[in-house]
Amino acid sequence: MGDALRAYGWIVAMWVRSTMVYRASFAMLTVGQFVVTGFDFVAIFIMFVHTDTLGGFDLPEVAFLYATSGVAMGTADLLVGSIERLGRRIRDGSLDVMLIRPVPTFVQAAADDFALRRLGRITQSALVFGWAMVAVDVHWTWDRIVLIPVMLVSGTVIFAAIFVLGAAFQFAATDAAEVANAFTYGGNFLTQYPPTIFAKDLLRAATFGIPLAFVNWLPALHFLGHPDPLGLPKGFQFASPLAAAVLALVAALAWRAGLRSYRSTGS
């Protein structure tokens, strides 16, 4: 594990040095990410020009959901998002080069083309998060304080595991990047909004299928003091670390299975 982390750090450092050669380009791309992702929150803000609540949540509460989802997704995208390009490497045979290097294939695929410009997305979400924490009306208790970092870390692991699952699926279906995006970027969009505006069947799928509800919905219900629309036991609102650990294990097994089944391009 230590060797893998060091290798990941070396590859990331190499891409960061490459990025910093063109600092003006990096700055413009980062600002572009900041502005483009910010339009999502502008759309939410416009909704609240015409209504006081959305599914029983006011603007600071929806901003809290938006920001926690955005920080978790942005961090996962920064750390392992490059792995979604695996299908292209399978098609052109360049994955074979990774297999013969003395570095784990997963580390190479995750750190390849490390895009520091993705900090723009994280920064934008972090600013909204800071405002939401000031504006939201909650009774601060020790469990709510602890829940915030636990939720952000667990959400990051969940999104990262979904990225890896999508990459593993591409060993079987090499043109499936868009399918994976439906669960990563689509999941990010879904969890920006209150769970109360969605059908209960969708909430059950996001809880017991792909556990997106554990990114922020369930812990946020406790943090904000809202009732659970599914009426689940209270323990579910504190189960994000468990959901993240289980999904990460499933993703690791899927990755190993996919890599073992890989037979190169034959060219």
Side-chain angles (χ1 to χ4, degrees):
M1 178 63 74
D3 290 341
L5 290 175
R6 280 192 293 272
Y8 179 87
W10 291 334
I11 297 172
V12 166
M14 176 190 69
W15 282 107
V16 170
R17 287 195 299 270
S18 175
T19 299
M20 288 299 122
V21 171
Y22 306 97
R23 298 191 179 187
S25 175
F26 163 71
M28 288 186 290
L29 289 171
T30 303
V31 171
Q33 283 247 330
F34 182 96
V35 172
V36 169
T37 55
F39 284 137
D40 290 338
F41 187 67
V42 170
I44 292 173
F45 185 82
I46 291 173
M47 291 181 190
F48 279 92
V49 173
H50 305 283
T51 183
D52 294 328
T53 62
L54 182 65
F57 288 65
D58 60 22
L59 178 57
E61 291 173 334
V62 175
F64 177 80
L65 293 175
Y66 169 89
T68 51
S69 176
V71 169
M73 174 61 188
T75 306
D77 193 20
L78 176 69
L79 296 177
V80 301
S82 295
I83 205 168
E84 67 181 357
R85 300 187 182 91
L86 187 73
R88 184 180 64 191
R89 288 197 169 276
I90 293 173
R91 290 193 300 273
D92 64 20
S94 58
L95 181 62
D96 293 12
V97 178
M98 291 184 172
L99 293 173
I100 62 175
R101 290 172 180 163
V103 177
T105 305
F106 174 78
V107 169
Q108 297 180 67
D112 183 49
D113 198 17
F114 184 85
L116 195 61
R117 64 181 180 275
R118 291 169 179 157
L119 286 174
R121 172 197 291 268
I122 300 173
T123 302
Q124 187 271 330
S125 297
L127 289 175
V128 176
F129 178 75
W131 175 78
M133 294 297 288
V134 172
V136 73
D137 183 20
V138 298
H139 174 61
W140 287 99
T141 55
W142 70 268
D143 54 322
R144 284 185 168 89
I145 295 172
V146 172
L147 191 62
I148 296 299
V150 170
M151 175 174 56
L152 292 175
V153 172
S154 299
T156 299
V157 173
I158 289 171
F159 275 126
I162 295 174
F163 270 115
V164 176
L165 283 169
F169 181 62
Q170 292 181 61
F171 282 109
T174 55
D175 291 318
E178 295 304 320
V179 175
N181 289 346
F183 294 98
T184 51
Y185 300 103
N188 172 220
F189 182 80
L190 188 73
T191 52
Q192 290 175 355
Y193 293 90
T196 48
I197 69 173
F198 298 105
K200 290 188 176 182
D201 287 342
L202 178 59
L203 297 182
R204 293 188 184 95
T207 302
F208 302 106
I210 302 295
L212 291 167
F214 293 94
V215 170
N216 62 355
W217 277 351
L218 287 169
L221 291 175
H222 174 74
F223 180 80
L224 299 172
H226 283 273
D228 187 344
L230 292 180
L232 297 173
K234 189 72 173 179
F236 275 77
Q237 298 176 7
F238 300 92
S240 291
L242 177 60
V246 171
L247 192 62
L249 177 60
V250 171
L253 294 174
W255 173 263
R256 289 173 63 88
L259 196 61
R260 287 174 177 172
S261 69
Y262 177 65
R263 295 293 180 268
S264 186
T265 60
S267 60

